[in-house]
Amino acid sequence: MSTLQQMDHSSLQHLHEKTKKELDAIKKENLSLNMARGKPSAEQLQLSLELLDSVTSKNIGDNFFVLNYGMVDGLPEAKALFKDLLEVDTEEILIGGNASLNIMHDLISKALIKGVIDSETPWGKEDAIKFICPVPGYDRHFTICEQYDIEMISVEMLNDGPDMDKVEELVRNDASIKGMWSVPKYSNPEGITYSDEVVERLAKMETKAKDFKIFWDNAYAIHDLTDHPPKLKNILEACKKHGNPNRVFMFASTSKMTFPGSGVAVVAASRENISFIKEQLSVQTIGPDKVNQLRHVRFFENYSNLLEHMKKHAEIMKPKFDAVIEILHSKLDSYGIATWAEPDGGYFISLDTMDGCASEVIHLAKEAGVTLTGAGAAFPYGKDPRDRNIRIAPSFPSLEEVEKAIDVLCTCIILVSTKKLL
Amino acid sequence: MSTLQQMDHSSLQHLHEKTKKELDAIKKENLSLNMARGKPSAEQLQLSLELLDSVTSKNIGDNFFVLNYGMVDGLPEAKALFKDLLEVDTEEILIGGNASLNIMHDLISKALIKGVIDSETPWGKEDAIKFICPVPGYDRHFTICEQYDIEMISVEMLNDGPDMDKVEELVRNDASIKGMWSVPKYSNPEGITYSDEVVERLAKMETKAKDFKIFWDNAYAIHDLTDHPPKLKNILEACKKHGNPNRVFMFASTSKMTFPGSGVAVVAASRENISFIKEQLSVQTIGPDKVNQLRHVRFFENYSNLLEHMKKHAEIMKPKFDAVIEILHSKLDSYGIATWAEPDGGYFISLDTMDGCASEVIHLAKEAGVTLTGAGAAFPYGKDPRDRNIRIAPSFPSLEEVEKAIDVLCTCIILVSTKKLL
């Protein structure tokens, strides 16, 4: 078989008509499949159900203080459990509520009003501030910037992380660049893990803004799909080594380990940063939900159990990822009209169509009953400059539904690509 | 017996020496009693222990969606349960995390960065902004203002709420006054409930700032100690009637109904305000802890059970309040050196010493092992202009401890007062 680009007009026309009929047939099935968000499936939630039983009226014991106010930085036992997740000391971590996104948002809103630890001026008092956004990236990061009028500068993701030549040049010359987003392991959506060199360069680079901060959203720190996962270098240690200990805020959460709505979020940073954050937090709240922290502590007991638990998630996730990859290969390989990542972990598969096709593919898939993440979502301001990126989130539907949905997606890609080339 | 003011010098001297010896004896007891914060006691926490059992792996049923992401405005069932607490519709309420203080803080920080629904300019872009602070008041409200450089204007609390002549005059003439704090029922610390007239005037008053907001912290909405509690007029309804539907944000939480650390917080406001808040919230989080909301829904089932539950709290709290009042009467009545409130609910008893005595009384009590809320805490910037207010929080210690602590407090008051008059 020849790629679409090599096909003659009539073969293309024939394929287009055939595919159109296939899609019309699919529409009659009245599908309703959702691959839009990185949501764990019911089967995954079930893995942690016993967490709900770990603190009850019968077994709470003398731990009444967990029910009361206080401990704004979280339960010491929870710090001890989660410190290994981000490879920090218990003095370098805070345990919060159910959403790491919330902590990131709060840090930015406080930076705008008051500044961060090394600010001379609150960010919001500057004429303009900017964040570096590796693209494609996580839409909710970008939405926070958009909401608060933080200008986003896109930097392309390469195979081992963001284009560091570009990043270094930007931050060296522009004092209004105050921050940078990063999902350093299994990046959302491409599943790329930053190389040691990238981590080193981020930690070491010269920044014109003295109060430049990296928001290191390690959302998929232990969400591996293979037995030999890539190892992410510890950026806090690298920052310390290069004399920039306060450069990075690291985040993680149990959203995709236990329950997305009722998990525990953590932030790690230098001791100085942590005490600065703690002081700010104590203005905002009298303390986090320590009972839920205790639930997690009792459910996991130790970090190695947590790692074992993640293997059970992988057992559920891996067949879905494999199915997506396999179907993409079998349906699209020959046509040369799409490329995609084949990540070792995380929650997404990022696919690029030919330029100018993604919106229409997503639109057609939606009409056929398959909801994908909106076109452009992985880019600042929702605008994919080449209109080619599609984020596939296979976790929530069943394996059977994933197979069906990807089949539909492939049909839509072929249809839009043939139309484009005709 | 004569009041201290009427006593001759040698009687005063004698009383002073005698009291000094009493305090010295107390110090030898090595007491450690804490009346600093409005924390429920272990006995109160015990009332809700079964809430921990209301969502388990056995009884969660098909409610898996509560474990997952979503529902940024909270569980519909939780809205249905808590709407009566603030007397609003389900469309006028949002159910959040474990801390209403957090919601208040967030609303203010977003107002600073983005403005509220009717702002032309974000508050933070104005030259200066101010809040009216009825005094004495809640220290954590004032801390938020202080943290964000919001100038605080103290207005005296009268017997039926803040001095409305003063409030009306201030907001009519000063466009930089953007907000006002209120704890309208059983005010912290005086236990005053705003009269209908005060509520009406707040709802109706002309404000120079078009985006003026009342932060209506109804923390003690149903925390009554008597069978015939005062009824607080619904300020949202009053605001609507007077054409100012977006003027008020109402807050409540289950912190002092179930668990302070693991409760549920609610905010109520006009539908317009609620959808504005919801939109902002969706930038910040993917949703609150719905499992904990479900726990509360199942534990209480309905609003009338919640009211019954509060009676059990009252049974524990009332003897402590009675003991405080009784000891204050018996120890201090004759001397004419202190006045205090005798509230029908809430968490505090506010006591005024003679001018210039409170700091020293609190300092002496601390030395004798009794921790009270810091001097001046109930005033903006921590400064009680007359240095006379002491906030007594009798909830946390046992009844016996409360009795002992108040006894010590009275001793300290007599000692400082005699010294002052000598």
Side-chain angles (χ1 to χ4, degrees):
Chain A
M1 214 175 344
S2 44
T3 68
L4 289 206
Q5 275 89 349
Q6 295 163 330
M7 268 187 200
D8 60 35
H9 189 273
S10 85
S11 307
L12 260 184
Q13 186 77 44
H14 176 75
L15 178 60
H16 184 73
E17 295 303 330
K18 178 176 150 263
T19 312
K20 201 166 184 311
K21 276 180 198 148
E22 277 171 26
L23 194 65
D24 287 342
I26 290 167
K27 281 184 190 167
K28 288 188 183 125
E29 295 180 47
N30 291 315
L31 299 174
S32 176
L33 304 171
N34 195 320
M35 309 249 288
R37 303 298 322 178
K39 272 172 84 164
S41 63
E43 198 184 352
Q44 286 176 272
L45 299 175
Q46 211 133 15
L47 296 175
S48 306
L49 272 193
E50 282 174 20
L51 185 148
L52 297 172
D53 310 331
S54 63
V55 182
T56 67
S57 67
K58 307 285 178 294
N59 65 21
I60 185 165
D62 293 334
N63 291 301
F64 272 36
F65 73 93
V66 300
L67 304 170
N68 224 321
Y69 290 117
M71 295 191 150
V72 76
D73 50 348
L75 270 191
E77 296 86 342
K79 292 184 189 181
L81 173 64
F82 291 116
K83 72 182 175 49
D84 291 339
L85 183 59
L86 293 171
E87 298 173 332
V88 295
D89 288 340
T90 48
E91 286 81 18
E92 294 170 330
I93 196 167
L94 272 170
I95 317 289
N98 73 325
S100 57
L101 186 71
N102 209 334
I103 306 181
M104 297 174 217
H105 168 277
D106 283 5
L107 284 172
I108 289 178
S109 68
K110 287 168 190 166
L112 289 166
I113 305 173
K114 296 290 287 183
V116 291
I117 192 168
D118 28 28
S119 297
E120 279 168 17
T121 312
W123 291 2
K125 299 278 185 201
E126 307 268 5
D127 289 338
I129 65 161
K130 302 172 192 156
F131 262 50
I132 291 178
C133 300
V135 292
Y138 180 32
D139 55 348
R140 290 185 185 271
H141 289 164
F142 303 158
T143 304
I144 292 175
C145 285
E146 202 171 343
Q147 173 78 356
Y148 292 143
D149 304 315
I150 297 171
E151 191 186 322
M152 290 179 268
I153 305 175
S154 296
V155 168
E156 210 185 332
M157 282 289 281
L158 306 179
N159 285 334
D160 66 343
D163 179 344
M164 282 307 302
D165 291 346
K166 188 79 192 156
V167 170
E168 285 168 346
E169 188 200 326
L170 283 165
V171 297
R172 188 171 52 241
N173 296 305
D174 188 345
S176 68
I177 299 179
K178 294 292 189 180
M180 173 174 175
W181 289 111
S182 281
V183 181
K185 191 169 168 190
Y186 307 133
S187 68
N188 177 348
E190 294 175 296
I192 289 166
T193 298
Y194 289 19
S195 69
D196 289 1
E197 193 205 329
V198 165
V199 174
E200 276 285 320
R201 288 173 74 177
L202 286 169
K204 188 183 184 177
M205 67 190 182
E206 191 191 316
T207 64
K208 190 141 188 185
K210 295 225 163 14
D211 53 352
F212 174 83
K213 293 281 169 277
I214 298 172
F215 287 74
W216 195 250
D217 185 0
N218 204 351
Y220 311 108
I222 53 174
H223 301 61
D224 308 308
L225 294 174
T226 71
D227 289 335
H228 301 287
K231 173 96 181 86
L232 177 69
K233 196 175 169 78
N234 183 328
I235 194 171
L236 179 58
E237 287 311 312
C239 284
K240 286 181 197 170
K241 188 178 77 186
H242 292 295
N244 302 311
N246 297 333
R247 176 171 290 180
V248 66
F249 298 132
M250 302 156 92
F251 307 93
S253 84
T254 68
S255 291
K256 292 174 176 88
M257 301 176 190
T258 59
F259 306 131
S262 312
V264 165
V266 308
V267 55
S270 70
R271 285 167 200 225
E272 246 184 307
N273 258 333
I274 288 292
S275 47
F276 185 81
I277 297 172
K278 188 174 161 180
E279 207 175 313
Q280 287 186 327
L281 255 185
S282 65
V283 172
Q284 172 174 9
T285 180
I286 316 182
D289 182 341
K290 297 184 297 296
V291 177
N292 208 36
Q293 296 184 2
L294 182 62
R295 280 188 197 99
H296 283 75
V297 167
R298 288 184 171 182
F299 180 64
F300 288 120
E301 290 177 1
N302 57 52
Y303 188 65
S304 101
N305 287 345
L306 174 51
L307 293 177
E308 284 305 307
H309 183 79
M310 294 311 291
K311 289 188 184 159
K312 297 180 202 161
H313 280 285
E315 280 167 29
I316 299 168
M317 293 279 281
K318 182 107 189 355
K320 295 180 184 177
F321 273 70
D322 288 347
V324 173
I325 303 292
E326 196 189 310
I327 296 169
L328 291 175
H329 275 301
S330 84
K331 296 264 171 179
L332 299 181
D333 264 359
S334 55
Y335 295 133
I337 50 175
T339 57
W340 54 88
E342 303 190 1
D344 288 331
Y347 263 67
F348 304 104
I349 290 162
S350 180
L351 178 143
D352 284 333
T353 63
M354 295 194 305
D355 285 8
C357 292
S359 314
E360 199 177 342
V361 168
I362 290 167
H363 176 73
L364 280 185
K366 176 91 186 169
E367 282 188 347
V370 175
T371 305
L372 296 153
T373 311
F379 293 80
Y381 312 105
K383 280 178 197 144
D384 175 359
R386 296 174 66 178
D387 186 23
R388 64 171 187 168
N389 187 253
I390 295 177
R391 187 180 81 164
I392 300 169
S395 56
F396 191 70
S398 68
L399 177 57
E400 203 181 13
E401 288 171 332
V402 167
E403 289 167 347
K404 184 72 198 176
I406 297 301
D407 202 71
V408 175
L409 172 63
C410 290
T411 305
C412 296
I413 291 172
I414 297 168
L415 188 66
V416 174
S417 304
T418 47
K419 184 176 154 200
K420 177 112 188 155
L421 291 169
L422 277 168
Chain B
M1 213 171 353
S2 44
T3 67
L4 289 205
Q5 275 88 349
Q6 295 164 332
M7 268 187 200
D8 58 37
H9 189 273
S10 83
S11 308
L12 261 183
Q13 186 76 46
H14 177 76
L15 179 60
H16 184 73
E17 296 303 330
K18 180 176 149 258
T19 312
K20 201 164 183 312
K21 278 178 200 149
E22 279 171 25
L23 195 65
D24 287 341
I26 290 167
K27 281 183 190 166
K28 291 188 182 125
E29 295 179 48
N30 290 316
L31 299 174
S32 176
L33 305 171
N34 195 320
M35 311 249 289
R37 304 297 321 178
K39 272 172 84 165
S41 62
E43 198 183 353
Q44 286 175 273
L45 299 175
Q46 211 134 15
L47 296 175
S48 306
L49 272 193
E50 283 174 18
L51 185 148
L52 296 172
D53 310 331
S54 62
V55 181
T56 67
S57 66
K58 307 284 178 300
N59 66 22
I60 186 165
D62 294 333
N63 291 303
F64 272 36
F65 73 94
V66 300
L67 303 171
N68 224 321
Y69 289 118
M71 294 192 150
V72 77
D73 50 348
L75 270 190
E77 296 87 341
K79 292 184 188 180
L81 173 64
F82 291 115
K83 71 182 175 51
D84 291 339
L85 182 59
L86 294 171
E87 298 173 331
V88 295
D89 288 342
T90 48
E91 285 83 16
E92 293 168 334
I93 196 167
L94 271 170
I95 316 290
N98 74 325
S100 57
L101 186 70
N102 209 334
I103 306 181
M104 297 174 217
H105 168 276
D106 284 5
L107 285 171
I108 289 177
S109 68
K110 287 168 191 166
L112 288 166
I113 306 172
K114 296 290 286 182
V116 291
I117 191 168
D118 28 28
S119 295
E120 281 170 15
T121 312
W123 290 3
K125 299 276 184 202
E126 307 269 6
D127 289 336
I129 64 159
K130 301 170 192 156
F131 262 50
I132 291 178
C133 300
V135 293
Y138 179 33
D139 54 348
R140 290 184 185 271
H141 289 164
F142 303 158
T143 304
I144 293 175
C145 285
E146 204 171 343
Q147 172 78 356
Y148 292 143
D149 304 314
I150 297 171
E151 190 185 322
M152 290 179 268
I153 305 175
S154 295
V155 168
E156 209 185 331
M157 283 288 281
L158 306 179
N159 285 333
D160 66 343
D163 180 343
M164 282 306 302
D165 291 345
K166 189 76 193 159
V167 171
E168 285 167 346
E169 190 200 325
L170 283 164
V171 298
R172 187 170 54 239
N173 296 306
D174 188 346
S176 69
I177 299 178
K178 295 291 189 181
M180 173 174 174
W181 290 111
S182 282
V183 181
K185 193 170 168 189
Y186 307 132
S187 67
N188 177 349
E190 295 177 296
I192 289 165
T193 298
Y194 289 19
S195 69
D196 290 2
E197 194 205 329
V198 165
V199 174
E200 277 285 320
R201 288 173 74 177
L202 285 169
K204 187 182 184 179
M205 67 191 184
E206 192 192 314
T207 64
K208 191 143 188 184
K210 293 225 161 18
D211 53 354
F212 174 83
K213 292 283 169 273
I214 298 171
F215 287 73
W216 196 251
D217 184 0
N218 204 351
Y220 311 107
I222 53 174
H223 302 60
D224 308 308
L225 294 173
T226 70
D227 290 335
H228 301 287
K231 173 97 182 83
L232 177 69
K233 197 175 168 78
N234 183 328
I235 194 170
L236 179 58
E237 288 310 312
C239 284
K240 287 180 195 169
K241 188 179 76 186
H242 292 295
N244 301 311
N246 297 334
R247 176 171 290 180
V248 66
F249 298 131
M250 302 155 93
F251 307 92
S253 84
T254 67
S255 291
K256 295 176 177 87
M257 301 175 191
T258 59
F259 306 131
S262 313
V264 164
V266 306
V267 54
S270 70
R271 286 168 199 224
E272 247 185 305
N273 259 333
I274 288 291
S275 47
F276 186 80
I277 297 171
K278 189 175 161 179
E279 209 175 312
Q280 287 187 326
L281 255 185
S282 65
V283 173
Q284 171 174 11
T285 180
I286 318 182
D289 182 342
K290 298 184 295 296
V291 177
N292 208 37
Q293 295 185 2
L294 182 61
R295 280 188 197 101
H296 283 76
V297 166
R298 287 184 172 182
F299 180 64
F300 287 122
E301 291 178 359
N302 57 52
Y303 188 64
S304 103
N305 287 346
L306 174 53
L307 293 177
E308 284 305 308
H309 183 79
M310 293 311 290
K311 288 187 185 162
K312 297 180 203 163
H313 280 286
E315 279 168 29
I316 298 169
M317 292 280 280
K318 183 113 191 349
K320 296 180 184 177
F321 272 71
D322 288 348
V324 173
I325 303 291
E326 197 189 308
I327 296 169
L328 291 175
H329 275 301
S330 84
K331 296 263 170 181
L332 299 180
D333 263 358
S334 55
Y335 295 132
I337 50 174
T339 55
W340 54 87
E342 303 190 3
D344 288 332
Y347 262 66
F348 304 104
I349 290 162
S350 179
L351 178 143
D352 284 334
T353 63
M354 296 194 305
D355 286 8
C357 291
S359 315
E360 200 179 341
V361 167
I362 291 166
H363 176 73
L364 281 184
K366 177 90 186 170
E367 282 188 346
V370 174
T371 306
L372 295 154
T373 311
F379 294 80
Y381 313 104
K383 281 178 196 142
D384 174 359
R386 296 175 65 178
D387 186 23
R388 62 170 187 169
N389 187 254
I390 295 176
R391 187 180 82 164
I392 301 168
S395 55
F396 191 70
S398 68
L399 178 57
E400 205 180 9
E401 289 171 331
V402 167
E403 289 168 347
K404 184 72 197 177
I406 296 301
D407 202 70
V408 175
L409 173 63
C410 290
T411 305
C412 296
I413 292 171
I414 296 167
L415 189 66
V416 174
S417 303
T418 48
K419 183 176 156 198
K420 176 112 189 156
L421 291 169
L422 274 168

